Amino acid sequence: KIALLVGNNHYQHHPNLMAPVTDVFELSLLLEQLGFQVVSLLDLNKTEMETAVSRFLELLGKGVYAIFYYAGHGYEHLGRNYMVPVDAPQPYAPENCISVQRILQRMQQQQTALNLILLDTCRKCQQNLDGVSKPCLTPELHVPCRNERTIPYSSRSEDAEAYELQDGKFSSGIFMKYLKKHILQEKKVTHMLEDVLEDIGQDPLVTGKQVMEIKHTLKEARSLTDPI
């Protein structure tokens, strides 16, 4: 059981965020309770993100349960989702960001028992130079999955924004608020995420504003509580 968690808070050319540092910390503790070996990293530039992902992929192999979590700025461009490193310039451009689809495809090649990608990020469409949004095509995570154990997941539907909760000096994301409520439960991972989806849908703070999306090809009854 291996997990890589990345949270980008402090951006050089974009608005700073508050929730990712707290969300990464809380998720790391929960995953460790589930028996995962966890690497948590904050405020990575593009080179650092690429290096972290490459090292993470080297650890994957047959029978491994693999989780990749990202919290930070993100966007959608021509049907592909991108994570924004802290050094990405304005405006967003694919060559300055990290493709989620590419990571998913590389995870699928490792013969893992379970791949889970959690994107806790906005999926606003990238804009043209004239300020007009390009059409949002099919979401990045809606890709053909040859690996039947892959569960690509996004906590934002396409063209949706992320919301943070402020509690004194601490801040957390809506998604993490409900994920930590369900993640330790002994049930199929897709059912667990559906419970999170239901709770988010009933939260009056984000009703009609934030939508969680799950896409999966999981047939086996895989659970994050499965023993090593």
Side-chain angles (χ1 to χ4, degrees):
K1 291 180 171 182
I2 300 170
L4 172 61
L5 316 182
V6 177
N8 286 344
N9 297 270
H10 301 103
Y11 283 83
Q12 298 175 18
H13 308 289
H14 307 282
N16 289 334
L17 302 172
M18 297 178 292
V21 62
T22 303
D23 291 348
V24 164
F25 176 72
E26 291 188 326
L27 182 57
S28 67
L29 295 180
L30 292 167
L31 291 177
E32 286 171 359
Q33 291 183 52
L34 292 167
F36 280 83
Q37 296 183 21
V38 183
V39 173
S40 304
L41 302 171
L42 298 175
D43 292 335
L44 302 187
N45 61 35
K46 185 173 186 289
T47 299
E48 291 167 339
M49 288 186 71
E50 291 174 336
T51 300
V53 169
S54 294
R55 296 290 180 87
F56 169 65
L57 292 168
E58 289 175 4
L59 299 175
L60 305 189
K62 188 175 182 179
V64 170
Y65 281 25
I67 294 179
F68 176 75
Y69 170 82
Y70 171 75
H73 284 307
Y75 75 99
E76 182 175 331
H77 175 69
L78 298 178
R80 302 173 67 89
N81 281 356
Y82 293 89
M83 300 173 290
V84 181
V86 296
D87 61 342
Q90 286 274 21
Y92 296 152
E95 60 269 22
N96 299 318
C97 299
I98 307 296
S99 167
V100 177
Q101 183 177 15
R102 185 169 299 174
I103 295 175
L104 174 60
Q105 291 171 339
R106 292 176 65 185
M107 290 174 71
Q108 291 173 337
Q109 297 169 358
Q110 303 300 102
Q111 296 185 324
T112 48
L114 174 70
N115 290 326
L116 176 60
I117 293 183
L118 302 172
L119 296 180
D120 198 357
T121 177
C122 297
R123 295 176 61 193
K124 295 293 288 184
C125 294
Q126 175 64 322
Q127 293 185 330
N128 288 317
L129 295 178
D130 60 4
V132 178
S133 294
K134 295 180 179 179
C136 285
L137 304 180
T138 54
E140 150 73 19
L141 296 179
H142 190 198
V143 296
C145 296
R146 291 187 299 273
N147 185 341
E148 293 181 350
R149 301 170 180 85
T150 297
I151 307 177
Y153 155 82
S154 175
S155 67
R156 322 282 181 236
S157 65
E158 52 185 310
D159 204 29
E161 295 183 282
Y163 291 84
E164 298 182 328
L165 298 175
Q166 185 72 32
D167 182 12
K169 62 181 179 180
F170 298 103
S171 181
S172 62
I174 288 285
F175 169 60
M176 191 57 59
K177 173 184 177 180
Y178 294 110
L179 179 64
K180 62 187 181 183
K181 173 182 173 182
H182 296 285
I183 194 171
L184 298 179
Q185 296 179 3
E186 189 173 344
K187 60 176 60 177
K188 187 175 179 179
V189 63
T190 51
H191 297 165
M192 181 272 292
L193 289 172
E194 287 167 358
D195 290 341
V196 177
L197 182 152
E198 184 175 346
D199 281 356
I200 291 177
Q202 295 175 354
D203 191 314
L205 290 176
V206 294
T207 300
K209 299 177 182 178
Q210 180 167 315
V211 182
M212 172 175 154
E213 182 178 71
I214 303 173
K215 293 183 180 296
H216 72 89
T217 56
L218 185 68
K219 295 181 180 179
E220 298 87 350
R222 307 290 191 196
S223 170
L224 298 185
T225 61
D226 291 344
I228 296 175

